[in-house]
Amino acid sequence: MTTTHSPTTGVASAGASIFADALDAQAVPVTRVDWRPPMEGTESDLATVATDPLRQEANQRALEAVLAVQAMVVDVAPAHEVLGLERGQFLHAGPPLAWENASGPMRGALMGAAALEGLVDDPEDAATLFAAGDQVSMEPCHHRQAVGPMAGVISASMWMWVLEDPVDGRRTYCSLNEGLGKVLRYGAYSPEVLTRLRWMSETLGPLLAEAVRATGPIDATAILGQMLQMGDEAHNRNRAGTLMLLRDIAPALARSSADPADVAEAFAFMGGNDHFFLNVAMPACKLQMDAARGIEGSTMVVAMARNGTEFGIQVAGTDNEWFTGPAQVADGLFLGDFGPEDANPDIGDSAITETAGIGGFSMATAPAIVRFVGGSVPDALATTRRMGEITLGENSRWAIPVLDFLGAPTGIDVSKVCRTGILPQINTGMAGRLAGVGQVGAGLVTPPGEIFPSALAALAARTRARAAS
């Protein structure tokens, strides 16, 4: 990449072309670089944050903490055991959300989960339950060290992947992946959806728990490194990761005490679902990014998440505070007869993969997926390079072969986003806007631009308060 600080040769020129044209006419080598003003209204806050004496060291500490994490799969267990969820308590994707503001797929997933927990016989009856609110509660997954794809709804009886950093013992969690199409995370709640979820709780979860405990800790961070070299970007394409996970647990599954017919069904379910590893990749990324939380002065984004109504980010230097704006509708390709009018605004905690530097940030490593999300190979290469302009460093464990083993761009810097106007690129699925429909497509989306100036303003306010104290 050419920047104003390191032109390849001669003179670097930005802005109006008259200067570069004049040099060209005199046979002086000129490198023309893109330039744009900072996001509107951020000039003062950018100057304050740029001169914060803590910022440089804080960001270095944050990046080192993130890159040092080794995410190990250590268990599979019910949500009521590992998250302390009780019947009637529900977690959801994205920033905090009230029922009256919930989108169609979020409502559908909550209604299906209420039926799964036996709170209602018919999911349609659950709408009244959530509107009243006195027998149920809703809370973001991120508030309990969990993440959930799409609607991300987690209820007490669902089984969870448990990941741990062996150095400090921190843990993160995610539910098991249900597959594609009509599934709860896309807001579907038909009888076959609930039947599949009950099988996952009664058969698949206990089987995986026995297999993982017998196999021992499984290195999810290493699998992520391998899959990036095998054509996965670990958000919309997890084929290699799923097969590697199956490879690791297959011996223990085959030797388990379960009915062989149940083992065979589990193999068929996991092998037929290329997204099965996504629900391991997500908590692995959250474990990494949580390592940077609470570092005063750091401008690194530690979470990006959407609830189908709002898009929210959290920043290392402001800890658990959410900065939110309206979620956008993805631009991409649609399944069957669905079209843009059928799509719900962006939803899910899966943008934690982009927050950690994979997914849309590592699109260059997954040319096989670009048509599925409506892009092209040159776009993918350019996107990964562009994400390098708004991040603090690279993850050498997640190398991208086609870019000469460039490390995944890691550590989104709020100040760089505001200074350049470049928004993070997210590679996502699309849920139908009506409850009960399920998935309608997949595509590319960015966060609403205004949330980054909001986060920058909060960081600047903390900097000024420290200086005044």
Side-chain angles (χ1 to χ4, degrees), residues 35-307:
W35 178 85
R36 67 183 71 180
M39 287 182 167
E40 187 175 357
T42 61
E43 295 84 353
S44 175
D45 291 335
L46 275 172
T48 299
V49 170
T51 55
D52 182 352
L54 297 184
R55 183 178 64 90
Q56 188 169 359
E57 182 183 352
N59 278 340
Q60 185 63 32
R61 282 175 53 208
L63 184 62
E64 289 174 357
V66 165
L67 298 181
V69 170
Q70 197 79 19
M72 309 296 291
V73 180
V74 295
D75 205 355
V76 181
H80 63 83
E81 286 184 11
V82 293
L83 296 177
L85 281 186
E86 299 177 358
R87 192 162 170 262
Q89 292 182 314
F90 298 90
L91 304 186
H92 63 78
L97 178 71
W99 171 259
E100 57 267 29
N101 299 324
S103 62
M106 181 63 77
R107 290 189 175 204
L110 288 164
M111 292 158 64
L116 179 69
E117 298 302 324
L119 297 175
V120 292
D121 293 328
D122 186 336
E124 296 287 348
D125 296 335
T128 304
L129 195 69
F130 282 102
D134 53 349
Q135 298 179 53
V136 296
S137 65
M138 297 164 52
E139 183 182 6
C141 295
H142 271 287
H143 291 189
R144 296 213 186 192
Q145 290 71 55
V147 277
M150 303 309 289
V153 170
I154 298 171
S155 61
S157 68
M158 294 180 182
W159 284 62
M160 313 294 294
W161 292 107
V162 182
L163 279 78
E164 181 180 286
D165 182 346
V167 174
D168 60 16
R170 289 181 304 107
R171 289 188 166 193
T172 53
Y173 311 89
C174 188
S175 56
L176 309 180
N177 194 284
E178 315 158 69
L180 294 174
K182 281 187 175 283
V183 289
L184 189 83
R185 72 179 187 279
Y186 279 98
Y189 52 73
S190 57
E192 65 264 33
V193 173
L194 298 181
T195 297
R196 186 188 309 114
L197 288 171
R198 292 189 180 104
W199 173 78
M200 293 173 68
S201 292
E202 294 166 2
T203 303
L204 182 63
L207 260 176
L208 290 174
E210 184 177 348
V212 169
R213 291 165 190 170
T215 303
I218 299 168
D219 192 339
T221 302
I223 291 178
L224 282 163
Q226 284 294 312
M227 59 195 285
L228 257 64
Q229 299 197 25
M230 297 168 70
D232 284 354
E233 40 71 74
H235 189 167
N236 252 324
R237 182 178 167 91
N238 286 271
R239 181 167 296 182
T242 297
L243 292 175
M244 282 189 278
L245 178 65
L246 261 177
R247 174 201 61 186
D248 286 350
I249 63 174
L253 276 173
R255 288 194 293 266
S256 78
S257 58
D259 185 327
D262 289 338
V263 175
E265 190 174 7
F267 271 124
F269 178 78
M270 290 184 283
N273 175 10
D274 289 341
H275 282 64
F276 196 72
F277 189 77
L278 172 63
N279 292 38
V280 175
M282 288 173 57
C285 291
K286 178 167 176 58
L287 197 63
Q288 284 199 194
M289 301 316 299
D290 279 359
R293 283 183 182 269
I295 297 179
E296 183 69 26
S298 173
T299 55
M300 178 192 285
V301 174
V302 294
M304 296 194 292
R306 317 84 98 197
N307 58 31

Side-chain angles (χ1 to χ4, degrees), residues 220-461:
T221 302
I223 291 178
L224 282 163
Q226 284 294 312
M227 59 195 285
L228 257 64
Q229 299 197 25
M230 297 168 70
D232 284 354
E233 40 71 74
H235 189 167
N236 252 324
R237 182 178 167 91
N238 286 271
R239 181 167 296 182
T242 297
L243 292 175
M244 282 189 278
L245 178 65
L246 261 177
R247 174 201 61 186
D248 286 350
I249 63 174
L253 276 173
R255 288 194 293 266
S256 78
S257 58
D259 185 327
D262 289 338
V263 175
E265 190 174 7
F267 271 124
F269 178 78
M270 290 184 283
N273 175 10
D274 289 341
H275 282 64
F276 196 72
F277 189 77
L278 172 63
N279 292 38
V280 175
M282 288 173 57
C285 291
K286 178 167 176 58
L287 197 63
Q288 284 199 194
M289 301 316 299
D290 279 359
R293 283 183 182 269
I295 297 179
E296 183 69 26
S298 173
T299 55
M300 178 192 285
V301 174
V302 294
M304 296 194 292
R306 317 84 98 197
N307 58 31
T309 303
E310 289 187 311
F311 192 119
I313 61 170
Q314 294 179 311
V315 181
T318 54
D319 207 3
N320 295 322
E321 185 175 359
W322 286 100
F323 304 95
T324 64
Q328 314 292 300
V329 176
D331 181 17
L333 300 179
F334 292 88
L335 305 174
D337 295 330
F338 292 119
E341 68 280 5
D342 300 308
N344 194 76
D346 197 20
I347 186 170
D349 287 334
S350 54
I352 193 68
T353 55
E354 277 81 6
T355 315
I358 51 180
F361 277 49
S362 292
M363 279 293 287
T365 203
I369 196 69
V370 294
R371 288 188 175 178
F372 180 61
V373 296
S376 67
V377 172
D379 290 341
L381 297 173
T383 295
T384 295
R385 292 187 185 281
R386 191 168 66 252
M387 294 301 100
E389 297 187 42
I390 58 171
T391 46
L392 294 167
E394 301 170 8
N395 188 339
S396 59
R397 290 191 293 190
W398 294 347
I400 301 172
V402 73
L403 292 180
D404 198 19
F405 294 93
L406 177 78
T410 302
I412 301 166
D413 184 346
V414 166
S415 63
K416 288 187 175 182
V417 173
C418 291
R419 183 166 55 79
T420 65
I422 298 173
L423 294 172
Q425 182 68 69
I426 297 166
N427 172 5
T428 189
M430 284 187 275
R433 64 182 180 82
L434 300 178
V437 170
Q439 185 177 10
V440 300
L444 303 171
V445 71
T446 58
E450 62 265 35
I451 59 179
F452 293 94
S454 296
L456 182 73
L459 289 162

